Amino acid sequence: MFNSKLRPIVIPQYEHGRMAGELARHWGNNRFGRPNLEFDSFVSGVALHDWHYGFGDTLPILEAAEADWLAMARLGLDLRLHDATADLVAKLHLRRLLSYDPSPPRRAMMAEIDDYVAARLPKTGQKLADFERADSITHFCDNVAFHFAFEAHFEGAVKVDSQGSGMIEINYRIQPQGKVAVDPWPFSVPLISGIILGFQAEGYPQRLEPVIVPYRLGEPSY
């Protein structure tokens, strides 16, 4: 779960994943091609990249002990999606997270993921390189939704495979009132808006008092 830096609410991992999936659903334009994967399956994989947390998770992001985070990562490795393409999109996202701090336990889990991906890859009819390129898009969509869920000003950038012109760095800026500026613009529509749900922190998750959290993405000039 994300503890808002703006007010006493929490946003579950499930909701930030839903926002990431919505960004993935609109991916692609003349400059940024869609990944070379079955597109609906790719979108599902992005939306469910943290599905193992469940709906009302209580593991505080960036505050949890390493052992607790690794236990959750283990759950993400052990569970699988029926759609093999979506499953591998989620698994490669998890592998990337583990690679950020390659301690021995993390390296061991990365090796397990490598074996798992190699075994299930033939069921997708795609090459590993296609999934690795697509993972850069997952990375971007996840990063935007991840930082948005803290409800605080943030500026970041992710290098994304353009599926044609190499790696392009995309900058994003989280602003007040749910605004997100993105440059260059990688989406098929000029504006993306939607909502995710937060919940009042007091009593969560036993008592769920929902709070609507709107978002609106556009180019820097919007």
Side-chain angles (χ1 to χ4, degrees):
M1 68 181 187
F2 297 83
N3 288 307
S4 170
K5 298 181 183 300
L6 178 66
R7 49 187 168 161
I9 71 168
V10 299
I11 295 175
Q13 282 276 14
Y14 180 90
E15 288 295 301
H16 114 273
R18 193 161 62 84
M19 178 179 176
E22 185 67 7
L23 303 187
R25 187 171 73 89
H26 292 291
W27 191 269
N29 55 32
N30 290 336
R31 188 173 183 184
F32 292 89
R34 286 183 169 187
N36 188 30
L37 302 175
E38 204 289 317
F39 191 66
D40 287 347
S41 296
F42 167 71
V43 172
S44 294
V46 176
L48 298 172
H49 68 272
D50 281 332
W51 71 301
H52 50 284
Y53 280 81
F55 178 72
D57 71 287
T58 57
L59 191 69
I61 298 303
L62 302 183
E63 301 174 34
E66 175 72 357
D68 293 336
W69 188 87
L70 284 174
M72 186 61 72
R74 165 58 59 186
L75 183 59
L77 173 55
D78 291 344
L79 296 177
R80 66 169 61 186
L81 294 169
H82 176 74
D83 184 319
T85 295
D87 189 35
L88 295 194
V89 168
K91 292 296 188 291
L92 288 177
H93 164 77
L94 179 58
R95 188 193 191 284
R96 175 167 34 79
L97 294 185
L98 289 162
S99 73
Y100 294 156
D101 180 18
S103 62
R106 289 183 176 223
R107 287 199 300 270
M109 201 175 297
M110 288 166 62
E112 288 187 63
I113 292 175
D114 289 341
D115 291 342
Y116 178 90
V117 170
R120 202 164 192 207
L121 184 65
K123 294 185 179 298
T124 70
Q126 301 298 136
K127 299 178 181 178
L128 179 59
D130 294 324
F131 281 92
E132 291 173 336
R133 286 193 291 268
D135 186 59
S136 68
I137 302 173
T138 307
H139 186 188
F140 175 80
C141 295
D142 174 54
N143 264 34
V144 173
F146 180 95
H147 290 113
F148 179 84
F150 284 111
E151 291 199 302
H153 181 273
F154 186 86
E155 295 186 18
V158 175
K159 289 185 177 180
V160 174
D161 193 304
S162 66
Q163 313 291 312
S165 301
M167 303 297 289
I168 298 177
E169 185 171 85
I170 306 178
N171 299 285
Y172 62 96
R173 185 171 69 253
I174 312 294
Q175 304 175 88
Q177 288 80 51
K179 293 181 66 175
V180 183
V182 179
D183 182 40
W185 187 249
F187 302 110
S188 60
V189 294
L191 197 69
I192 300 176
S193 61
I195 63 167
I196 57 176
L197 288 179
F199 297 93
Q200 295 290 346
E202 185 177 356
Y204 175 88
Q206 289 76 23
R207 186 176 74 250
L208 297 178
E209 295 289 342
V211 178
I212 291 176
V213 183
Y215 61 84
R216 184 177 175 91
L217 279 77
E219 296 186 75
S221 59
Y222 91 105

